[in-house]
Amino acid sequence: MSPVVHAHAHADAVVVGGGVIGAAIAHRLALAGLGRIVLCDQGRVSAQGATSRSGGLLRLHHTSVADTRLAARSLPVFEQWADVIGGDCGYRRTGFVMIVGEGHADGLRQNAAAASDAAGYRRTEVVDAAELKALYPGLRTEGVGLAAYEPEGGYADPLAATASLLGAAYRLGVSPSEGIRAVKVLERAGTVTGVLTSIGRIDSPLVVLAGGAWGSAPAEYLGIHIPVTARRIGLAQAELPGAGRRGAAASVPTCIDDTTGSYFRPDGLDRFYFGVPSKPDTELGRDVEPLTEAELEAAIAAVAHRVPAAAAAPLAGTRSGLDGYTPDKRPVVGAAGPDGLYLALGFSGGGFKLAPAVAELAALEIAEGGAVPGKAVQELLEPYRPQRFLAGNPIRPEAPYDHM
C-alpha cells in the first residue's frame, strides 16, 4: 500500500489553527510576502472552536495595560474592516460599559484612564449609576459603584470576521487544509523542519501554533510545555425586543458586569447575547457537552440582576465549545524552542478583540526575525512571551477586579 502524500507537502510556513488568531496570522504572513503558506485545522477551517463561541465583544477596557494597548491597536481595524481586510466583520457600535462595585471604583478610574491614553483621541467616560441609566434604560443600576463608558465600543461577528480573513488570505495564496490534525512539530539540530499531520508530513522552516485549547501539544515532545488548560465555554441568545435600540425601554450596551461576573450584549435590534460561565477543566478529544438547564438558569439569574427583562426573555439558542486558558489568563505569543517555532495561543476568552494587533505584530516578528527567540522584538508583545511562566513572571493586572 502506498503511503498517503499530503497535497501540501512543502510550504514556507504552516499555521496550525483555523480560528480568528490563525486566520489573522496567515493573512498577515501572506501580506508580508512569506511565500507558500498552509493553514491547517483539525476541524473545518472556518472557526469551529472558541472563535465561533465568542461573544465578539469589542472594548478597550482591561485590567492590564498590556491588553489595553493591543485592544486599542485592534479596534480601528474592526471599524474599517471593509477597507483594511475586505468583506464585513459585523461591527456594531453599541457602546461598551464596564460595571464595578464601589470597592473597585478607584481601579476603574485607573483602567479607564489607561484606555483613554492608549486610544489617543478616543475617550472613556466614567459615569455614575444615574448617568448609566439615562444612557441605557434597560439596565438596573442597583449595586453599581461606578461604570466606564466607551462610546465606540460594541461587538462584531467572530464567524463573519474569520470568514473574511480566510477569504482575504486565500486570495493571497494561502492554502487551506481542513480536517487535518497537527501531531508534532519536526526539528533537526535546533531548527524546525516541518510538522507531522494526521495524513502526512509538511516540510516547512516555520510552524505557527495557534490552535487554541490544544495549546503547545504538537511541540511538547521537544520539551516545550505551555500551561494551557482546556475549558468548556458557552453563550446563549434570547429574544429581547428593543435590546439594541438606543433609548428604548429595554436597550442595553455591550457590557461586562463585575458585580455579577456576567457579560452580555445586544444581538441586532431585538435579540440579546449573554455568557454562560465556563465549566471546570475538560478533556480534549471528546464531544463538548451542550449547556445544561441548570447552567442556563444560573446565568440568566446573574444577568437578570442587571437586565430585568432577561428573566422572562425566551431563549433562541445556545453554543458551547472549548477555549484555552493560561494561569494568568493572558495569551502566549512569541518564538519558542527550536528556531522557526512561533506560538499564539492561550487567549483565555479574550482573543477575538486582540486578533488584528496580535497578527500584525507577530507577522512582523516572524518576517524580520524568522521566529527566533530574542530577534525582531515587538515591544507590545513582550509581556506575552512563552518563557514568562518558567521565569515565574506572569502578567499581573495593575488594577484587578473580582472577575476580570
Side-chain angles (χ1 to χ4, degrees):
M1 183 180 294
S2 300
V4 173
V5 178
H6 200 295
H8 310 299
H10 302 277
D12 296 295
V14 177
V15 179
V16 177
V20 68
I21 299 296
I25 290 175
H27 174 243
R28 277 288 181 174
L29 291 176
L31 283 175
L34 206 62
R36 183 177 176 83
I37 301 167
V38 175
L39 176 64
C40 63
D41 192 278
Q42 63 183 346
R44 185 180 174 208
V45 183
S46 59
Q48 298 298 296
T51 296
S52 62
R53 279 77 172 178
S54 166
L57 278 62
L58 299 180
R59 58 183 167 93
L60 303 180
H61 199 103
H62 286 80
T63 57
S64 168
V65 173
D67 297 341
T68 303
R69 289 170 178 163
L70 289 182
R73 195 180 184 103
S74 292
L75 183 56
V77 177
F78 288 106
E79 293 175 321
Q80 303 163 37
W81 194 270
D83 295 328
V84 177
I85 306 296
D88 182 11
C89 71
Y91 168 67
R92 300 294 181 267
R93 178 178 164 177
T94 64
F96 170 78
V97 170
M98 180 75 215
I99 295 173
V100 300
E102 186 60 42
H104 289 300
D106 289 343
L108 181 132
R109 292 188 184 94
Q110 180 177 335
N111 292 328
S116 292
D117 289 345
Y121 68 92
R122 304 172 193 272
R123 301 297 300 173
T124 296
E125 303 171 23
V126 176
V127 298
D128 60 23
E131 293 168 317
L132 181 60
K133 182 71 173 179
L135 286 167
Y136 297 100
L139 295 179
R140 179 173 177 261
T141 56
E142 182 179 336
V144 174
L146 210 59
Y149 169 55
E150 300 174 16
E152 286 89 6
Y155 68 91
D157 181 339
L159 278 171
T162 304
S164 59
L165 278 168
L166 291 171
Y170 297 163
R171 288 190 292 274
L172 291 168
V174 173
S175 301
S177 193
E178 296 182 341
I180 306 301
R181 182 169 61 90
V183 178
K184 65 179 181 178
V185 176
L186 304 174
E187 64 89 30
R188 183 184 300 115
T191 300
V192 164
T193 59
V195 60
L196 180 65
T197 78
S198 53
I199 66 165
R201 174 186 177 123
I202 307 175
D203 291 325
S204 174
L206 170 66
V207 174
V208 179
L209 296 183
W214 281 261
S216 59
E220 287 188 355
Y221 90 104
L222 297 174
I224 298 168
H225 174 69
I226 305 300
V228 174
T229 300
R231 291 188 184 178
R232 176 169 162 271
I233 59 174
L235 57 82
Q237 184 188 53
E239 302 286 350
L240 188 60
R245 301 175 188 270
R246 292 297 292 268
S251 65
V252 296
T254 297
C255 180
I256 297 176
D257 182 2
D258 189 62
T259 69
T260 62
S262 60
Y263 74 84
F264 53 84
R265 66 164 174 84
D267 180 35
L269 298 178
D270 298 310
R271 283 195 170 189
F272 179 71
Y273 261 13
F274 59 93
V276 179
S278 60
K279 201 173 183 180
D281 306 344
T282 190
E283 184 179 339
L284 292 172
R286 300 178 60 182
D287 290 339
V288 180
E289 298 176 0
L291 301 179
T292 66
E293 186 175 1
E295 288 173 321
L296 288 165
E297 287 176 351
I300 291 169
V303 172
H305 177 79
R306 189 63 61 211
V307 184
L315 286 179
T318 70
R319 297 178 189 170
S320 60
L322 296 177
D323 201 359
Y325 282 72
T326 64
D328 61 11
K329 297 183 181 179
R330 264 72 187 181
V332 170
V333 185
D339 294 350
L341 176 63
Y342 198 92
L343 307 181
L345 43 83
F347 282 81
S348 307
F352 177 67
K353 64 186 174 299
L354 305 180
V358 168
E360 175 196 2
L361 298 171
L364 284 171
E365 287 194 328
I366 291 167
E368 296 174 9
V372 176
K375 289 191 177 180
V377 171
Q378 293 293 320
E379 182 181 356
L380 292 181
L381 295 181
E382 273 297 280
Y384 304 100
R385 298 310 186 195
Q387 297 80 12
R388 72 181 187 271
F389 297 114
L390 284 176
N393 190 31
I395 295 173
R396 294 181 172 85
E398 289 81 7
Y401 302 138
D402 290 334
H403 299 284
M404 184 180 178

